[in-house]
């Protein structure tokens, strides 16, 4: 988000008639798991509860973490996953994935969970009619870390991404490790060479580990029309994940562990992919659950920023973070045709592209949630901006997090979720007060002069201003050739 | 004694066994199965195929025969040439390549011939070989000698299960103190590894079933108590096709990866670094 020095925080836009009204939960920087109503009133804080992300469960339960492993020894390793009730009591927890003995610290079990988890009953972790996550039983899927050595990938120690399924008692029932599927990723030779030399090394523990794929979301597909139509790739138990570092979104078979559907890392092998354009550093890729508008399509927060392994160039001397874009996109994609069904970019926001495309931009985090009324709640995370748009792209709610970290450098929000009122029986339904969009031409700080000049003169011969045009950069998108029906590319 | 030795050209292990034949003044006839000895080996294999083991990479050479006894592989060959049947059980046919010699089974040999066993291991070490030695805890005296003489480059202790199941799994009575003593020796070894194979057990009612997660936990508890540490990198694995117990599992359901994880959960109560063997990729 391109932002000025001064701007309001809290709720800035709210149309109760068009918004999907409810509570919103998000991890507020250095504060805790925060629940707000549509007007931004803070109705509940689970103080100090970390969220990578925080999610709510019916009955006023919240899920999060007690904290993160010392970054001297780990990278984005959260020590546990805990479920907390309205009163702050821990009603479920898991940490027994790896026993960690970091120098100078008390040895302890750690989940090493990061970026995502899912409780049985709901495939994606947000409100879906008829698919409520279980609160006192059921299995939980966790996205975790494990250090591995695999010389087919790199001669460096790899921070591998794993997915585990644990039951209510904390027993691990299923484990999947990404490095064992390296050959299924379809990385071209140039990318493999770069990856071998530098698998996205982070300095931890005095050695460094290669966060080679950096998975940042993981969810099950749940019941869907594709599977009902006979397409086994979309078995409800299959799992979709997003890899920031490789620009890959993939679905794996829960049964075999193999990749059965994949988007990326190449986006130029068909006209459809060229039309889609490369997805870079994406987050929160998931299948819209049954019962919500767009069910079966894949929603993606396509961050842009910098990601992917590729050929060295003047902007990437070693071929790391090889692909770059200075704005974000929300894409809703039909997974069988790769056609973009719906999108939200700066253009749909009413901003002139490409000049102001960066006004919608979160290069490192982001989230997206489809609502029952067809709206979409978006976490433009790096700027701490949460907002909701209708299917027609109208902005109907906006909130800017007022919580910066200790150094006051960032108010980022990893991912926010909208919660229906009925999930929080402890609270009376709050008052919903409309907030008109401010007229920026008149909005002033105290002491600032109003717009308008009292001393105006006419200049003879001046021409009227053009409505648009005359800019230094061509705003026309590149033309994409169509493939014919047999998949032949016209050159 | 006159011996026929079947060899492959350029086979380092074959050369070592031939050297051992020379050193022991044993006459022998060499048959290179890639040259003139091919037809003779085909005939020999036809007559003795039940005594020749075909491993995952094919038939291991050399093979020696004195007309009655057939010995296959380097370890078994050298042991037989130096001490005849005394060392039966100590050496098997391995699967490792290059300088590594495996299938050296402490627990399958006789405690009466520990000195002879150690002598053979020393002989192999003089040939710049690396030895992977295994034990299930039986014959702790031999284990102590191996450790004292630093003869094992890798030492694997396969804890068969809880002590109460050892006789059924091992196939004969065992002394519990023998197993415990072996566990207590492990911290003194250079590179010890601990594992348990999820193998079938003949139950008191005559049925066969795999050891259970709770029984594995008992084994893990035994390890913790006897070694004084809960930090062992303890591996839990399925039976491999070359494991001796593999045939006993016929008719039993296959142990799945998910099953292994349940075993791991139980074991981690006592051994915090317990993990399952990954079939597709290495871990650290």
């Amino acid at each position: 988000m391109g932002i000025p020095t001064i701007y309001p925080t809290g709720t800035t836009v709210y149309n109760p008639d068009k918004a999907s009204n409810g509570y919103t939960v998000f991890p507020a920087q250095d504060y805790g798991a925060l629940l707000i109503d549509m007007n931004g009133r803070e109705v509940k804080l689970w103080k100090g509860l970390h969220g990578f992300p925080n999610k709510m469960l019916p009955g006023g339960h919240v899920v999060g973490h007690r904290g993160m492993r010392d970054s001297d020894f780990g990278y984005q390793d959260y020590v546990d996953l805990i479920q907390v009730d309205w009163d702050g009591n821990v009603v479920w927890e898991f940490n027994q994935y790896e026993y960690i003995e970091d120098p100078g610290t008390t040895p302890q079990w750690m989940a090493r969970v990061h970026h995502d988890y899912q409780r049985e009953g709901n495939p994606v972790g947000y409100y879906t009619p008829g698919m409520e996550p279980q609160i006192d039983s059921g299995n939980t899927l966790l996205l975790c870390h494990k250090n591995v050595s695999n010389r087919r990938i790199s001669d460096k120690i790899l921070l591998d991404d794993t997915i585990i399924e644990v039951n209510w008692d904390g027993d691990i029932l299923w484990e999947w490790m990404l490095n064992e599927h390296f050959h299924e990723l379809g990385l071209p030779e140039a990318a493999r060479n770069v990856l071998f030399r530098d698998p996205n090394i982070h300095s931890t523990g005095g050695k460094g580990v290669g966060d080679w794929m950096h998975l940042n979301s993981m969810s099950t597909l749940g019941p869907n029309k594709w599977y009902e139509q006979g397409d086994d790739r979309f078995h409800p138990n299959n799992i979709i994940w997003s890899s920031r570092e490789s620009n890959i979104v993939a679905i794996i078979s829960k049964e075999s562990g193999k990749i059965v559907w994949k988007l990326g890392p190449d986006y130029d092998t068909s006209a459809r992919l060229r039309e889609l354009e490369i997805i870079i550093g994406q987050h929160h890729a998931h299948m819209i659950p049954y019962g919500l508008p767009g069910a079966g399509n894949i929603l993606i927060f396509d961050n842009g920023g910098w990601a992917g392994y590729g050929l060295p160039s003047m902007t990437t001397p070693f071929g790391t973070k090889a692909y770059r874009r200075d704005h974000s996109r929300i894409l809703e994609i039909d997974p069988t045709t790769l056609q973009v069904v719906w999108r939200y970019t700066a253009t749909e926001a009413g901003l002139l592209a490409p000049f102001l495309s960066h006004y919608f931009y979160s290069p490192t985090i982001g989230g997206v949630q489809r609502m029952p009324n067809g709206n979409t709640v978006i976490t433009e995370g790096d700027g701490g901006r949460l907002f909701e748009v209708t299917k027609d792209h109208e902005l109907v709610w906006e909130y800017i997090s007022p919580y910066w970290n200790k150094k006051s450098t960032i108010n980022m929000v990893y991912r926010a979720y909208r919660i229906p009122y009925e999930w929080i029986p402890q609270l009376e339904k709050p008052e919903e007060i409309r907030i008109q969009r401010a007229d920026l031409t008149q909005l002033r700080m105290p002491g600032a002069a109003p717009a308008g000049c009292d001393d105006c003169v006419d200049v003879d011969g001046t021409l009227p201003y053009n409505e648009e045009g005359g800019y230094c950069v061509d705003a026309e998108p590149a033309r994409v050739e169509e493939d014919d029906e047999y998949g032949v590319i016209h050159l | 004694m006159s011996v026929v030795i079947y060899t492959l050209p350029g086979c380092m292990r074959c050369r070592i066994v031939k050297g051992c034949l020379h050193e022991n003044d044993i006459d022998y006839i060499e048959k290179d199965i890639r040259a003139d000895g091919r037809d003779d080996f085909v005939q020999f294999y036809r007559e003795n195929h039940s005594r020749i083991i075909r491993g995952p990479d094919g038939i291991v050479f050399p093979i020696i025969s004195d007309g009655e006894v057939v010995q296959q592989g380097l370890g078994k060959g050298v042991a037989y040439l130096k001490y005849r049947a005394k060392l039966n059980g100590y050496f098997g046919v391995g699967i490792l390549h290059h300088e590594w010699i495996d299938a050296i089974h402490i627990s399958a040999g006789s405690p009466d011939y520990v000195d002879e066993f150690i002598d053979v291991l020393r002989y192999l070490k003089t040939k710049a070989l690396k030895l992977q030695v295994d034990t299930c805890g039986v014959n702790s005296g031999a284990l102590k000698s191996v450790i004292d003489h630093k003869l094992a480059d890798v030492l694997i202790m396969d804890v068969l299960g809880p002590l109460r199941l050892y006789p059924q799994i091992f196939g004969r009575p065992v002394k519990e103190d023998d197993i415990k003593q072996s566990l207590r020796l492990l911290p003194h070894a250079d590179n010890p590894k601990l594992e348990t194979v999820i193998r079938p057990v003949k139950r008191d009612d005559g049925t066969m079933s795999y050891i259970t997660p709770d029984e594995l936990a008992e084994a893990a508890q035994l390890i913790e108590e006897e070694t004084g540490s809960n930090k062992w990198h303890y591996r839990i694995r399925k039976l491999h096709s070359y494991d001796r117990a593999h045939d006993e599992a016929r008719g039993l359901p296959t142990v799945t990866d998910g099953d292994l994880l349940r075993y791991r959960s139980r074991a981690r109560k006592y051994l915090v670094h317990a993990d399952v063997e990954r079939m597709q990729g290495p871990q650290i």
Side-chain angles (χ1 to χ4, degrees):
Chain A
M1 177 169 77
I3 54 171
T5 306
I6 301 299
Y7 55 94
T9 59
T11 301
T12 53
V13 175
Y14 178 35
N15 180 345
D17 298 333
K18 291 188 175 181
S20 49
N21 301 307
Y23 300 107
T24 302
V25 67
F26 68 95
Q29 283 283 323
D30 293 357
Y31 194 44
L34 185 60
L35 191 68
I36 59 171
D37 68 13
M38 298 300 288
N39 286 94
R41 280 184 289 266
E42 299 180 5
V43 297
K44 187 74 177 184
L45 171 70
W46 287 270
K47 197 173 176 183
L49 182 67
H50 298 238
F52 202 27
N54 291 123
K55 296 185 187 183
M56 294 295 298
L57 303 176
H61 289 218
V62 64
V63 185
H65 326 275
R66 285 193 176 94
M68 191 164 70
R69 183 181 181 184
D70 188 332
S71 58
D72 283 347
F73 307 106
Y75 180 69
Q76 296 188 330
D77 287 349
Y78 280 79
V79 298
D80 57 13
L81 184 69
I82 62 176
Q83 177 183 330
V84 181
D85 70 12
W86 186 254
D87 298 320
N89 303 304
V90 176
V91 298
W92 181 85
E93 62 184 300
F94 173 80
N95 63 8
Q96 295 210 353
Y97 189 42
E98 190 172 341
Y99 192 75
I100 301 292
E101 297 172 279
D102 290 328
T105 66
T106 304
Q108 62 175 313
W109 284 100
M110 285 190 196
R112 300 189 71 184
V113 60
H114 66 99
H115 285 98
D116 221 342
Y117 51 86
Q118 306 296 342
R119 169 63 55 77
E120 186 175 352
N122 179 286
V124 296
Y126 63 70
Y127 173 71
T128 308
M131 284 193 273
E132 291 201 344
Q134 299 179 31
I135 62 168
D136 55 4
S137 61
N139 296 347
T140 306
L141 286 170
L142 293 88
L143 180 56
C144 298
H145 278 145
K146 198 172 220 181
N147 291 11
V148 306
S149 174
N150 187 335
R151 291 185 63 84
R152 285 171 296 180
I153 301 171
S154 174
D155 56 354
K156 315 294 190 301
I157 299 298
L158 300 174
L159 184 70
D160 202 26
D161 292 295
T162 71
I163 303 171
I164 61 172
E165 181 177 12
V166 302
N167 64 16
W168 189 256
D169 295 327
D171 293 329
I172 299 172
L173 308 177
W174 183 82
E175 183 179 36
W176 179 88
M177 299 180 69
L178 180 53
N179 84 92
E180 296 175 351
H181 301 273
F182 175 62
H183 59 288
E184 301 169 38
L185 297 174
L187 290 163
E189 190 58 33
R192 292 161 69 111
N193 273 324
V194 174
L195 175 56
F196 189 89
R197 288 183 291 130
D198 181 2
N200 191 27
I201 289 288
H202 291 272
S203 296
T204 58
K207 294 178 182 174
V209 291
D211 185 22
W212 68 292
M213 285 285 280
H214 194 97
L215 263 55
N216 57 24
S217 69
M218 174 278 304
S219 56
T220 58
L221 301 185
N224 62 83
K225 60 185 176 184
W226 315 117
Y227 181 70
E228 290 172 0
Q229 291 165 3
D231 195 334
D232 289 338
R233 295 177 299 171
F234 304 107
H235 189 288
N237 293 341
N238 287 356
I239 293 169
I240 182 171
W241 49 251
S242 158
S243 161
R244 193 214 105 84
E245 213 54 35
S246 69
N247 303 330
I248 293 174
V249 174
I251 295 172
I252 60 167
S253 163
K254 180 78 186 303
E255 185 177 8
S256 71
K258 294 187 185 305
I259 293 173
V260 294
W261 180 95
K262 185 165 66 68
L263 187 60
D266 287 330
Y267 290 86
D268 61 355
T269 54
S270 73
R272 187 70 79 198
L273 285 169
R274 286 191 292 278
E275 185 180 358
L276 175 64
E277 297 180 3
I278 184 171
I279 291 171
I280 300 172
Q282 76 288 338
H283 281 72
H284 205 191
H286 64 277
M287 181 174 278
I288 300 172
Y290 235 21
L292 292 174
N297 294 331
I298 308 291
L299 263 183
I300 301 174
F301 192 110
D302 174 16
N303 297 67
W306 47 94
Y309 299 96
L311 291 169
S313 68
M314 281 190 280
T315 55
T316 172
F318 303 105
T320 56
K321 309 275 189 293
Y323 304 99
R324 301 175 182 214
R325 189 189 337 110
D326 64 356
H327 59 274
S328 300
R329 307 185 297 171
I330 305 298
L331 300 174
E332 179 183 342
I333 300 170
D334 178 329
T336 62
T337 64
L338 303 186
Q339 187 169 20
V340 176
V341 178
W342 184 83
R343 73 171 67 218
Y344 182 85
T345 68
T347 299
E348 285 75 27
L351 299 163
L352 189 61
F355 314 99
L356 300 179
S357 293
H358 65 283
Y359 275 32
F360 177 48
Y361 185 34
S362 177
T364 71
I365 49 176
V368 56
Q369 176 184 1
R370 178 55 47 83
M371 304 308 300
N373 65 355
N375 289 1
T376 304
V377 173
I378 297 168
T379 306
E380 190 186 349
D382 283 309
R385 178 181 179 233
L386 322 176
F387 66 100
E388 178 180 350
V389 296
T390 66
K391 185 179 181 184
D392 297 328
H393 311 111
E394 180 183 350
L395 182 72
V396 294
W397 181 79
E398 183 183 61
Y399 173 90
I400 312 296
S401 173
Y403 291 101
W404 270 257
N405 62 358
K406 285 175 188 154
K407 294 181 181 174
S408 299
T409 52
I410 199 159
N411 65 336
M412 65 161 47
V413 173
Y414 171 62
R415 192 190 296 165
Y417 287 103
R418 175 67 46 77
I419 317 299
Y421 289 130
E422 57 265 30
W423 275 23
I424 314 293
Q426 294 85 355
L427 297 176
E428 296 293 326
K429 182 183 172 185
E431 187 181 6
E432 298 165 344
I433 304 170
R434 182 182 303 273
I435 299 175
Q436 295 286 357
R437 196 165 174 170
D439 179 2
L440 293 184
T441 66
Q442 301 302 323
L443 189 64
R444 292 290 185 282
M445 294 296 293
C453 184
D454 295 334
D455 186 3
C456 300
V457 295
D458 292 328
V459 178
D460 192 31
T462 56
L463 301 175
Y465 289 101
N466 291 341
E467 283 193 11
E468 201 168 279
Y471 303 115
C472 299
V473 178
D474 182 5
E476 285 292 310
R479 181 168 173 265
V480 176
E481 298 287 348
E482 288 292 324
D483 290 355
D484 70 14
E485 60 182 308
Y486 302 108
V488 176
I489 299 170
H490 296 290
L491 297 173
Chain B
M1 182 168 70
S2 179
V3 167
V4 176
I5 179 169
Y6 296 95
T7 63
L8 287 170
C11 163
M12 171 265 288
R13 298 172 189 225
C14 300
R15 281 202 304 275
I16 292 173
V17 174
K18 285 193 290 182
C20 188
L21 285 161
H22 281 296
E23 292 161 12
N24 288 278
D25 293 325
I26 299 171
D27 295 331
Y28 68 92
I29 299 168
E30 180 177 5
K31 293 184 183 292
D32 182 343
I33 71 148
R34 294 267 189 251
D36 294 345
R38 176 182 172 80
D39 292 342
D40 287 342
F41 180 72
V42 170
Q43 180 65 27
F44 174 78
Y45 183 73
R46 196 171 289 146
E47 294 168 355
N48 296 280
H49 69 274
S50 63
R51 294 199 280 178
I52 296 173
I53 293 171
R54 181 181 283 273
D57 298 320
I59 296 173
V60 173
F61 287 89
I63 297 172
I64 59 175
S65 170
D66 61 6
E68 292 183 10
V69 175
V70 173
Q71 298 288 3
Q72 184 182 7
L74 173 57
K76 290 186 78 171
V78 170
Y80 182 72
L81 294 175
K82 290 173 77 73
Y83 294 107
R84 302 297 184 271
K86 288 180 179 177
L87 298 185
N88 281 0
Y90 273 116
F91 296 91
V93 179
I95 59 169
L96 297 181
H97 296 288
H98 305 297
E99 76 273 30
W100 281 96
I101 306 295
D102 60 331
I104 302 172
H105 310 302
I106 290 176
S107 299
S110 168
D112 297 334
Y113 299 111
V114 170
D115 290 343
E116 290 83 350
F117 172 58
I118 295 299
D119 181 56
V120 171
L121 296 187
R122 281 178 155 165
Y123 179 83
L124 296 174
K125 292 294 286 181
T126 64
K127 306 301 178 187
L129 295 168
K130 291 184 175 178
L131 307 182
Q132 177 176 298
V133 180
D134 60 69
T135 176
C136 71
V138 173
N139 201 359
S140 58
L143 175 62
K144 184 173 189 310
S145 291
V146 168
I147 293 173
D148 287 348
H149 293 93
K150 297 186 178 299
L151 291 169
D153 296 280
V154 170
L155 175 65
I156 299 172
M157 181 160 176
D158 176 6
V159 181
L160 302 180
L163 286 175
R164 59 188 171 82
L165 292 181
Y166 252 74
Q168 291 98 306
I169 299 172
F170 192 63
R172 59 175 194 261
V174 300
K175 296 176 182 170
E176 291 192 357
D177 283 346
D178 200 20
I179 311 301
K180 290 179 177 177
Q181 179 59 24
S182 287
L183 284 168
R184 289 194 286 268
L185 287 168
L186 281 189
H188 306 288
D190 285 339
N191 190 18
K193 299 178 188 299
L194 275 159
E195 69 176 25
T196 292
V197 179
I198 306 306
R199 49 166 59 85
V201 185
K202 190 170 187 178
R203 304 293 176 175
D204 292 340
D205 62 2
T207 60
M208 295 287 286
S209 61
Y210 291 108
I211 65 168
T212 66
D214 286 339
E215 288 166 347
L216 183 87
E218 285 185 61
Q221 184 178 13
L222 173 71
I223 293 167
E224 184 197 21
E225 287 174 355
E226 296 304 324
T227 64
S229 172
N230 67 345
K231 305 290 175 57
W232 293 95
H233 287 274
Y234 174 57
R235 184 175 64 159
I236 304 159
R237 70 171 175 88
K238 303 177 199 175
L239 281 168
H240 295 152
S241 59
Y242 52 79
D243 284 319
R244 277 176 286 185
H246 187 261
D247 290 343
E248 298 169 16
R250 282 195 182 135
L252 294 179
T254 305
V255 176
T256 66
D257 291 339
D259 293 334
L260 284 187
L261 296 175
R262 276 186 277 274
Y263 284 95
R264 182 177 72 177
S265 291
R266 297 291 185 281
R268 282 183 167 182
K269 184 176 177 185
Y270 303 101
L271 299 174
V272 293
H273 296 310
D275 214 337
V276 301
E277 180 181 62
R278 303 294 300 192
M279 301 305 290
Q280 293 169 296
Q283 291 174 247
I284 57 169

